Amino acid sequence: MNPTMGDPDALMRKWDEEIQAKLKQADQISQAAREVRVTQRSNDGSVSVTVDSGGNVMALDLTDAALRKQPAQLSAEILGIMRSAQAQIATRMQEAMAPVLGDDSATMNAIMGGFQEKFPQPPQETEQPRRAPQPPDDDDFQGHNWARDKKEW
C-alpha cells in the first residue's frame, strides 16, 4: 500500500462526500437563482418591469398615464427600464449566492462575471428619446384657408 494514498476506501468515501456536497451546493445555487427577481419602475411610476435571473421579462405593468405617452417614447422607456432591471441582476445574484458559496470567491467571481457581461449597466441617457418622424397629415393645410379663396369657375 502506498503511504501517500492512504486507505483507498477512505479516499473514495472522502471523494464521494465532496461530490455530494458540491451537488447539494449546485442545487442550492439553482434554487437561489430561480428566486431572484428584479423590479424597476419609471420615474413617474407609469411603467414597471420585472425580470428573472435570466433577464427574462416576467411582468410588464403600465398605468393609464403610460398609455397617454407617444408610442416611441413608451417603447423607449420600457426598454430602458428593462435594461436597468437586467443590470441589477448581478448584484441580486451575488446577494443570493453569498450564503450558499461563502468564501468560495472563485465560483462567485465566475458566476458574477457572466452576469455582468450578459447584462452590463445601461448608458446614462442625457436627452429624451427622439420621436419617430410623423407621416404627412392629409388634413393639414398649413394655415391656408381654401374656403376663403375666390373661385373663378
Side-chain angles (χ1 to χ4, degrees), residues 101-125:
L101 295 174
D103 294 334
D104 187 355
S105 60
T107 302
M108 180 70 82
N109 290 340
I111 292 172
M112 294 307 107
F115 281 106
Q116 291 164 344
E117 183 178 320
K118 186 174 180 181
F119 304 116
Q121 290 294 323
Q124 297 295 330
E125 290 193 27

PDB file of all heavy atoms in Angstrom, residues 101-125:
ATOM      1  N   LEU A 101     -22.361  30.138  -1.254  1.00  0.00           N
ATOM      2  CA  LEU A 101     -20.966  29.953  -1.642  1.00  0.00           C
ATOM      3  C   LEU A 101     -19.980  30.324  -0.538  1.00  0.00           C
ATOM      4  O   LEU A 101     -18.840  29.853  -0.554  1.00  0.00           O
ATOM      5  CB  LEU A 101     -20.654  30.760  -2.906  1.00  0.00           C
ATOM      6  CG  LEU A 101     -21.404  30.312  -4.153  1.00  0.00           C
ATOM      7  CD1 LEU A 101     -21.129  31.259  -5.303  1.00  0.00           C
ATOM      8  CD2 LEU A 101     -21.022  28.894  -4.524  1.00  0.00           C
ATOM      9  N   GLY A 102     -20.376  31.175   0.361  1.00  0.00           N
ATOM     10  CA  GLY A 102     -19.482  31.561   1.449  1.00  0.00           C
ATOM     11  C   GLY A 102     -18.191  32.165   0.938  1.00  0.00           C
ATOM     12  O   GLY A 102     -18.197  33.146   0.206  1.00  0.00           O
ATOM     13  N   ASP A 103     -17.064  31.552   1.311  1.00  0.00           N
ATOM     14  CA  ASP A 103     -15.743  32.075   0.951  1.00  0.00           C
ATOM     15  C   ASP A 103     -15.249  31.604  -0.417  1.00  0.00           C
ATOM     16  O   ASP A 103     -14.113  31.868  -0.776  1.00  0.00           O
ATOM     17  CB  ASP A 103     -14.710  31.661   2.015  1.00  0.00           C
ATOM     18  CG  ASP A 103     -14.989  32.327   3.355  1.00  0.00           C
ATOM     19  OD1 ASP A 103     -15.603  33.404   3.355  1.00  0.00           O
ATOM     20  OD2 ASP A 103     -14.586  31.760   4.388  1.00  0.00           O
ATOM     21  N   ASP A 104     -16.068  30.897  -1.165  1.00  0.00           N
ATOM     22  CA  ASP A 104     -15.651  30.372  -2.473  1.00  0.00           C
ATOM     23  C   ASP A 104     -15.678  31.510  -3.499  1.00  0.00           C
ATOM     24  O   ASP A 104     -16.570  31.610  -4.336  1.00  0.00           O
ATOM     25  CB  ASP A 104     -16.580  29.228  -2.893  1.00  0.00           C
ATOM     26  CG  ASP A 104     -16.110  28.516  -4.157  1.00  0.00           C
ATOM     27  OD1 ASP A 104     -15.112  28.963  -4.763  1.00  0.00           O
ATOM     28  OD2 ASP A 104     -16.745  27.520  -4.534  1.00  0.00           O
ATOM     29  N   SER A 105     -14.663  32.364  -3.427  1.00  0.00           N
ATOM     30  CA  SER A 105     -14.652  33.555  -4.280  1.00  0.00           C
ATOM     31  C   SER A 105     -14.432  33.211  -5.758  1.00  0.00           C
ATOM     32  O   SER A 105     -14.900  33.940  -6.629  1.00  0.00           O
ATOM     33  CB  SER A 105     -13.595  34.546  -3.809  1.00  0.00           C
ATOM     34  OG  SER A 105     -12.315  33.966  -3.857  1.00  0.00           O
ATOM     35  N   ALA A 106     -13.756  32.121  -6.046  1.00  0.00           N
ATOM     36  CA  ALA A 106     -13.527  31.756  -7.446  1.00  0.00           C
ATOM     37  C   ALA A 106     -14.855  31.439  -8.134  1.00  0.00           C
ATOM     38  O   ALA A 106     -15.119  31.912  -9.248  1.00  0.00           O
ATOM     39  CB  ALA A 106     -12.576  30.572  -7.545  1.00  0.00           C
ATOM     40  N   THR A 107     -15.697  30.667  -7.475  1.00  0.00           N
ATOM     41  CA  THR A 107     -17.006  30.330  -8.043  1.00  0.00           C
ATOM     42  C   THR A 107     -17.869  31.579  -8.127  1.00  0.00           C
ATOM     43  O   THR A 107     -18.547  31.814  -9.130  1.00  0.00           O
ATOM     44  CB  THR A 107     -17.702  29.247  -7.199  1.00  0.00           C
ATOM     45  OG1 THR A 107     -16.853  28.101  -7.142  1.00  0.00           O
ATOM     46  CG2 THR A 107     -19.033  28.852  -7.801  1.00  0.00           C
ATOM     47  N   MET A 108     -17.852  32.388  -7.068  1.00  0.00           N
ATOM     48  CA  MET A 108     -18.647  33.618  -7.050  1.00  0.00           C
ATOM     49  C   MET A 108     -18.227  34.537  -8.192  1.00  0.00           C
ATOM     50  O   MET A 108     -19.070  35.058  -8.920  1.00  0.00           O
ATOM     51  CB  MET A 108     -18.482  34.349  -5.715  1.00  0.00           C
ATOM     52  CG  MET A 108     -19.270  35.633  -5.614  1.00  0.00           C
ATOM     53  SD  MET A 108     -21.044  35.415  -5.503  1.00  0.00           S
ATOM     54  CE  MET A 108     -21.181  35.083  -3.753  1.00  0.00           C
ATOM     55  N   ASN A 109     -16.924  34.724  -8.393  1.00  0.00           N
ATOM     56  CA  ASN A 109     -16.434  35.598  -9.461  1.00  0.00           C
ATOM     57  C   ASN A 109     -16.823  35.063 -10.834  1.00  0.00           C
ATOM     58  O   ASN A 109     -17.150  35.839 -11.735  1.00  0.00           O
ATOM     59  CB  ASN A 109     -14.921  35.776  -9.364  1.00  0.00           C
ATOM     60  CG  ASN A 109     -14.517  36.610  -8.165  1.00  0.00           C
ATOM     61  OD1 ASN A 109     -15.318  37.356  -7.606  1.00  0.00           O
ATOM     62  ND2 ASN A 109     -13.268  36.474  -7.745  1.00  0.00           N
ATOM     63  N   ALA A 110     -16.774  33.751 -11.001  1.00  0.00           N
ATOM     64  CA  ALA A 110     -17.151  33.154 -12.285  1.00  0.00           C
ATOM     65  C   ALA A 110     -18.628  33.403 -12.579  1.00  0.00           C
ATOM     66  O   ALA A 110     -18.997  33.783 -13.704  1.00  0.00           O
ATOM     67  CB  ALA A 110     -16.851  31.660 -12.279  1.00  0.00           C
ATOM     68  N   ILE A 111     -19.474  33.215 -11.571  1.00  0.00           N
ATOM     69  CA  ILE A 111     -20.915  33.420 -11.764  1.00  0.00           C
ATOM     70  C   ILE A 111     -21.212  34.890 -12.021  1.00  0.00           C
ATOM     71  O   ILE A 111     -21.920  35.247 -12.959  1.00  0.00           O
ATOM     72  CB  ILE A 111     -21.706  32.903 -10.542  1.00  0.00           C
ATOM     73  CG1 ILE A 111     -21.610  31.366 -10.457  1.00  0.00           C
ATOM     74  CG2 ILE A 111     -23.170  33.344 -10.617  1.00  0.00           C
ATOM     75  CD1 ILE A 111     -22.193  30.779  -9.192  1.00  0.00           C
ATOM     76  N   MET A 112     -20.670  35.755 -11.206  1.00  0.00           N
ATOM     77  CA  MET A 112     -20.962  37.189 -11.325  1.00  0.00           C
ATOM     78  C   MET A 112     -20.397  37.784 -12.611  1.00  0.00           C
ATOM     79  O   MET A 112     -21.025  38.632 -13.233  1.00  0.00           O
ATOM     80  CB  MET A 112     -20.412  37.967 -10.128  1.00  0.00           C
ATOM     81  CG  MET A 112     -21.090  37.642  -8.810  1.00  0.00           C
ATOM     82  SD  MET A 112     -22.877  37.781  -8.872  1.00  0.00           S
ATOM     83  CE  MET A 112     -23.355  36.075  -8.840  1.00  0.00           C
ATOM     84  N   GLY A 113     -19.225  37.327 -13.030  1.00  0.00           N
ATOM     85  CA  GLY A 113     -18.643  37.821 -14.276  1.00  0.00           C
ATOM     86  C   GLY A 113     -19.544  37.533 -15.459  1.00  0.00           C
ATOM     87  O   GLY A 113     -19.706  38.374 -16.347  1.00  0.00           O
ATOM     88  N   GLY A 114     -20.159  36.372 -15.463  1.00  0.00           N
ATOM     89  CA  GLY A 114     -21.079  36.027 -16.539  1.00  0.00           C
ATOM     90  C   GLY A 114     -22.293  36.932 -16.571  1.00  0.00           C
ATOM     91  O   GLY A 114     -22.736  37.362 -17.639  1.00  0.00           O
ATOM     92  N   PHE A 115     -22.831  37.256 -15.409  1.00  0.00           N
ATOM     93  CA  PHE A 115     -23.996  38.142 -15.352  1.00  0.00           C
ATOM     94  C   PHE A 115     -23.626  39.566 -15.740  1.00  0.00           C
ATOM     95  O   PHE A 115     -24.383  40.238 -16.434  1.00  0.00           O
ATOM     96  CB  PHE A 115     -24.625  38.139 -13.948  1.00  0.00           C
ATOM     97  CG  PHE A 115     -25.475  36.925 -13.698  1.00  0.00           C
ATOM     98  CD1 PHE A 115     -25.025  35.916 -12.884  1.00  0.00           C
ATOM     99  CD2 PHE A 115     -26.716  36.795 -14.290  1.00  0.00           C
ATOM    100  CE1 PHE A 115     -25.794  34.793 -12.657  1.00  0.00           C
ATOM    101  CE2 PHE A 115     -27.501  35.681 -14.077  1.00  0.00           C
ATOM    102  CZ  PHE A 115     -27.039  34.670 -13.254  1.00  0.00           C
ATOM    103  N   GLN A 116     -22.479  40.037 -15.282  1.00  0.00           N
ATOM    104  CA  GLN A 116     -22.067  41.395 -15.609  1.00  0.00           C
ATOM    105  C   GLN A 116     -21.777  41.534 -17.101  1.00  0.00           C
ATOM    106  O   GLN A 116     -22.013  42.587 -17.690  1.00  0.00           O
ATOM    107  CB  GLN A 116     -20.861  41.799 -14.764  1.00  0.00           C
ATOM    108  CG  GLN A 116     -21.225  41.960 -13.303  1.00  0.00           C
ATOM    109  CD  GLN A 116     -20.033  41.981 -12.376  1.00  0.00           C
ATOM    110  OE1 GLN A 116     -18.930  41.599 -12.751  1.00  0.00           O
ATOM    111  NE2 GLN A 116     -20.261  42.422 -11.150  1.00  0.00           N
ATOM    112  N   GLU A 117     -21.282  40.476 -17.707  1.00  0.00           N
ATOM    113  CA  GLU A 117     -21.017  40.509 -19.153  1.00  0.00           C
ATOM    114  C   GLU A 117     -22.321  40.473 -19.939  1.00  0.00           C
ATOM    115  O   GLU A 117     -22.489  41.200 -20.915  1.00  0.00           O
ATOM    116  CB  GLU A 117     -20.143  39.313 -19.539  1.00  0.00           C
ATOM    117  CG  GLU A 117     -19.752  39.295 -20.997  1.00  0.00           C
ATOM    118  CD  GLU A 117     -18.847  38.113 -21.324  1.00  0.00           C
ATOM    119  OE1 GLU A 117     -17.969  37.784 -20.511  1.00  0.00           O
ATOM    120  OE2 GLU A 117     -19.046  37.532 -22.397  1.00  0.00           O
ATOM    121  N   LYS A 118     -23.252  39.646 -19.493  1.00  0.00           N
ATOM    122  CA  LYS A 118     -24.522  39.496 -20.206  1.00  0.00           C
ATOM    123  C   LYS A 118     -25.434  40.716 -20.019  1.00  0.00           C
ATOM    124  O   LYS A 118     -26.150  41.103 -20.939  1.00  0.00           O
ATOM    125  CB  LYS A 118     -25.246  38.245 -19.700  1.00  0.00           C
ATOM    126  CG  LYS A 118     -26.503  37.912 -20.460  1.00  0.00           C
ATOM    127  CD  LYS A 118     -27.082  36.591 -20.004  1.00  0.00           C
ATOM    128  CE  LYS A 118     -28.350  36.262 -20.771  1.00  0.00           C
ATOM    129  NZ  LYS A 118     -28.931  34.994 -20.332  1.00  0.00           N
ATOM    130  N   PHE A 119     -25.394  41.311 -18.819  1.00  0.00           N
ATOM    131  CA  PHE A 119     -26.274  42.440 -18.511  1.00  0.00           C
ATOM    132  C   PHE A 119     -25.460  43.631 -18.008  1.00  0.00           C
ATOM    133  O   PHE A 119     -25.450  43.931 -16.816  1.00  0.00           O
ATOM    134  CB  PHE A 119     -27.309  42.040 -17.455  1.00  0.00           C
ATOM    135  CG  PHE A 119     -28.130  40.848 -17.842  1.00  0.00           C
ATOM    136  CD1 PHE A 119     -28.063  39.675 -17.105  1.00  0.00           C
ATOM    137  CD2 PHE A 119     -28.970  40.882 -18.947  1.00  0.00           C
ATOM    138  CE1 PHE A 119     -28.815  38.578 -17.448  1.00  0.00           C
ATOM    139  CE2 PHE A 119     -29.725  39.781 -19.298  1.00  0.00           C
ATOM    140  CZ  PHE A 119     -29.651  38.621 -18.555  1.00  0.00           C
ATOM    141  N   PRO A 120     -24.784  44.342 -18.907  1.00  0.00           N
ATOM    142  CA  PRO A 120     -23.976  45.500 -18.477  1.00  0.00           C
ATOM    143  C   PRO A 120     -24.876  46.652 -18.037  1.00  0.00           C
ATOM    144  O   PRO A 120     -26.068  46.686 -18.344  1.00  0.00           O
ATOM    145  CB  PRO A 120     -23.197  45.865 -19.742  1.00  0.00           C
ATOM    146  CG  PRO A 120     -24.066  45.397 -20.860  1.00  0.00           C
ATOM    147  CD  PRO A 120     -24.758  44.147 -20.349  1.00  0.00           C
ATOM    148  N   GLN A 121     -24.281  47.602 -17.355  1.00  0.00           N
ATOM    149  CA  GLN A 121     -25.017  48.804 -16.956  1.00  0.00           C
ATOM    150  C   GLN A 121     -25.435  49.560 -18.211  1.00  0.00           C
ATOM    151  O   GLN A 121     -24.627  49.744 -19.115  1.00  0.00           O
ATOM    152  CB  GLN A 121     -24.141  49.705 -16.077  1.00  0.00           C
ATOM    153  CG  GLN A 121     -23.863  49.142 -14.704  1.00  0.00           C
ATOM    154  CD  GLN A 121     -25.115  49.043 -13.859  1.00  0.00           C
ATOM    155  OE1 GLN A 121     -25.993  49.898 -13.915  1.00  0.00           O
ATOM    156  NE2 GLN A 121     -25.209  47.985 -13.085  1.00  0.00           N
ATOM    157  N   PRO A 122     -26.696  49.986 -18.279  1.00  0.00           N
ATOM    158  CA  PRO A 122     -27.118  50.748 -19.463  1.00  0.00           C
ATOM    159  C   PRO A 122     -26.451  52.118 -19.474  1.00  0.00           C
ATOM    160  O   PRO A 122     -26.145  52.659 -18.414  1.00  0.00           O
ATOM    161  CB  PRO A 122     -28.632  50.870 -19.294  1.00  0.00           C
ATOM    162  CG  PRO A 122     -28.888  50.656 -17.851  1.00  0.00           C
ATOM    163  CD  PRO A 122     -27.774  49.800 -17.322  1.00  0.00           C
ATOM    164  N   PRO A 123     -26.220  52.666 -20.660  1.00  0.00           N
ATOM    165  CA  PRO A 123     -25.618  54.005 -20.730  1.00  0.00           C
ATOM    166  C   PRO A 123     -26.578  55.037 -20.144  1.00  0.00           C
ATOM    167  O   PRO A 123     -27.789  54.881 -20.244  1.00  0.00           O
ATOM    168  CB  PRO A 123     -25.403  54.238 -22.224  1.00  0.00           C
ATOM    169  CG  PRO A 123     -26.344  53.303 -22.899  1.00  0.00           C
ATOM    170  CD  PRO A 123     -26.541  52.132 -21.969  1.00  0.00           C
ATOM    171  N   GLN A 124     -26.009  56.058 -19.538  1.00  0.00           N
ATOM    172  CA  GLN A 124     -26.829  57.135 -18.981  1.00  0.00           C
ATOM    173  C   GLN A 124     -27.363  57.975 -20.127  1.00  0.00           C
ATOM    174  O   GLN A 124     -26.603  58.461 -20.950  1.00  0.00           O
ATOM    175  CB  GLN A 124     -25.989  58.005 -18.033  1.00  0.00           C
ATOM    176  CG  GLN A 124     -25.483  57.260 -16.826  1.00  0.00           C
ATOM    177  CD  GLN A 124     -26.605  56.795 -15.917  1.00  0.00           C
ATOM    178  OE1 GLN A 124     -27.648  57.410 -15.836  1.00  0.00           O
ATOM    179  NE2 GLN A 124     -26.388  55.680 -15.247  1.00  0.00           N
ATOM    180  N   GLU A 125     -28.668  58.142 -20.161  1.00  0.00           N
ATOM    181  CA  GLU A 125     -29.278  58.951 -21.220  1.00  0.00           C
ATOM    182  C   GLU A 125     -29.267  60.406 -20.787  1.00  0.00           C
ATOM    183  O   GLU A 125     -29.680  60.735 -19.686  1.00  0.00           O
ATOM    184  CB  GLU A 125     -30.707  58.489 -21.492  1.00  0.00           C
ATOM    185  CG  GLU A 125     -30.746  57.130 -22.162  1.00  0.00           C
ATOM    186  CD  GLU A 125     -32.118  56.809 -22.705  1.00  0.00           C
ATOM    187  OE1 GLU A 125     -32.861  57.751 -23.020  1.00  0.00           O
ATOM    188  OE2 GLU A 125     -32.418  55.628 -22.807  1.00  0.00           O
TER     189      GLU A 125
END
